Amino acid sequence: MPKIFFLPHVSIIPNGKIVNAKTNESILDVALKNKINIEHACEKSCCCTTCHCIIKKGFSSLSKITEKEEDALDKAWGLSINSRLSCQAKLGIKDLIVEIPIYNLHM
């Protein structure tokens, strides 16, 4: 059972949080189940970038990125080589460290 460490975010989780997850769950679903309110304006349909996150550790264990997700990510603020949409990135077996950017498309 992988764990996700969400790094501190000034307004969403000021102290950060470590949560348990299941393989094949999306990062967003795990966050929402654990009361980490990552914005997701398109309701998980891969049409916006409000759930953009940066994977600081464990990137290679996530599901393969799709072309649709790559296209959506092109609009994200603070894009990184390890950026993913949390609604699309499904967990593998490794633990993750996840950063939620301070800014998103709506902020």
Side-chain angles (χ1 to χ4, degrees):
M1 178 177 283
K3 292 184 188 309
I4 303 177
F5 174 41
F6 289 94
L7 294 172
H9 181 283
V10 69
S11 61
I12 298 173
I13 41 172
N15 297 318
K17 192 170 190 177
I18 298 173
V19 298
N20 291 316
K22 294 179 185 166
T23 301
N24 291 321
E25 281 186 294
S26 73
I27 294 171
L28 179 59
D29 286 338
V30 173
L32 295 175
K33 262 196 321 195
N34 288 280
K35 299 185 182 356
I36 301 169
N37 296 316
I38 297 174
E39 188 174 351
H40 51 288
C42 71
E43 295 299 320
K44 307 177 193 176
S45 64
C46 195
C47 292
C48 72
T49 62
T50 57
C51 72
H52 168 231
C53 64
I54 300 168
I55 311 305
K56 296 294 191 174
K57 180 181 175 193
F59 184 86
S60 64
S61 73
L62 294 172
S63 59
K64 186 177 177 186
I65 193 167
T66 65
E67 188 173 329
K68 183 177 180 180
E69 183 182 354
E70 284 180 336
D71 290 345
L73 276 169
D74 286 341
K75 299 177 236 161
W77 289 65
L79 192 63
S80 159
I81 193 162
N82 291 327
S83 288
R84 291 295 302 264
L85 297 181
S86 64
C87 69
Q88 300 300 303
K90 307 261 182 180
L91 279 71
I93 58 171
K94 292 184 181 177
D95 294 345
L96 298 180
I97 297 175
V98 175
E99 176 184 1
I100 303 165
I102 293 175
Y103 301 106
N104 69 34
L105 193 62
H106 290 152
M107 296 175 95

